[in-house]
Amino acid sequence: MSKKTAAPRELSPEEIEEYKDNFMLFDTKGDNKVQGDMLGSIVRALGFNPTQALVKTIAGEKLDEYTRVTWEEFFPMLQAVRETKREGKEGTVDDFFECFKVFDKEDNGQVNAGEMTHVLCTLAERLAEHELEPLMTKHVDAAGNLAYEGTFLVPLLGSFYNGGCDWLYVIFV
């Protein structure tokens, strides 16, 4: 069954202006441009959740710390991310929980924290252990398990600079 939905609705002029205003918050030099390596962070701050691979595909050579990007250059990138979301290529909260269930051997809403650390630090868009440790330690019980059910998950935009990648962190509150 495909997750494909109807075409994204056109943005109103007010919505476009709001996106532009938020884009401009990342302008650190006052030249109405943002640093290229911040494009992923900006898209995520606007409420989307693209993978780093998608950001690289859409931004191309603009995704470096020396390139400055205007709103006019950025807006088509944002539209591409919106289209990706429409096509169902962006994960959902349910998808996130399904991933945890794969590692929930006892079907009790908990996963082994060591196993989760290993997976998150070695597969796909990797986190370094020093990045992951502060996110998980206060949520690991005495048996070394991490409860994922009944836990309020808060997406938080992090900006650890790790080999040019910005990360979207999920912190367990």
Side-chain angles (χ1 to χ4, degrees), residues 93-163:
V93 173
D94 290 336
D95 294 336
F96 183 78
F97 280 107
E98 284 301 313
C99 291
F100 274 108
K101 288 179 182 179
V102 168
F103 297 97
D104 185 358
K105 294 178 176 83
E106 297 178 20
D107 196 27
N108 64 358
Q110 296 185 337
V111 293
N112 180 278
E115 189 174 8
M116 265 299 72
T117 299
H118 174 73
V119 168
L120 293 171
C121 292
T122 59
L123 299 177
E125 293 187 32
R126 300 177 183 133
L127 290 172
E129 272 195 58
H130 72 273
E131 295 169 331
L132 186 59
E133 187 177 331
L135 306 178
M136 289 182 59
T137 52
K138 68 180 181 179
H139 305 287
V140 177
D141 66 17
N145 292 317
L146 176 68
Y148 68 91
E149 283 189 346
T151 303
F152 183 66
L153 300 171
V154 180
L156 174 68
L157 181 64
S159 190
F160 279 85
Y161 188 74
N162 180 4

Side-chain angles (χ1 to χ4, degrees), residues 3 10 16 18 37 51 69 72 82 88 93 95-96 100 115 119 123-124 130 142 150 154 161 167-168:
K3 291 183 181 179
E10 290 295 316
I16 293 171
E18 185 175 337
D37 64 347
T51 64
V69 179
E72 290 74 20
R82 288 183 75 233
V93 173
D95 294 336
F96 183 78
F100 274 108
E115 189 174 8
V119 168
L123 299 177
H130 72 273
V154 180
Y161 188 74
W167 298 92
L168 179 66

Side-chain angles (χ1 to χ4, degrees), residues 29 35-37 62-68:
K29 294 186 178 184
Q35 195 170 305
D37 64 347
K62 295 184 186 313
L63 195 60
D64 71 56
E65 63 184 295
Y66 304 108
T67 302
R68 304 283 293 165

Side-chain angles (χ1 to χ4, degrees), residues 1-38:
M1 178 179 210
S2 174
K3 291 183 181 179
K4 192 167 183 167
T5 60
R9 66 175 175 74
E10 290 295 316
L11 293 172
S12 71
E14 294 81 18
E15 289 172 312
I16 293 171
E17 191 61 33
E18 185 175 337
Y19 280 144
K20 183 176 181 180
D21 289 345
N22 285 301
F23 170 85
M24 291 302 173
L25 292 174
F26 288 84
D27 174 10
T28 58
K29 294 186 178 184
D31 61 356
N32 294 326
K33 296 179 181 179
V34 299
Q35 195 170 305
D37 64 347
M38 294 301 297

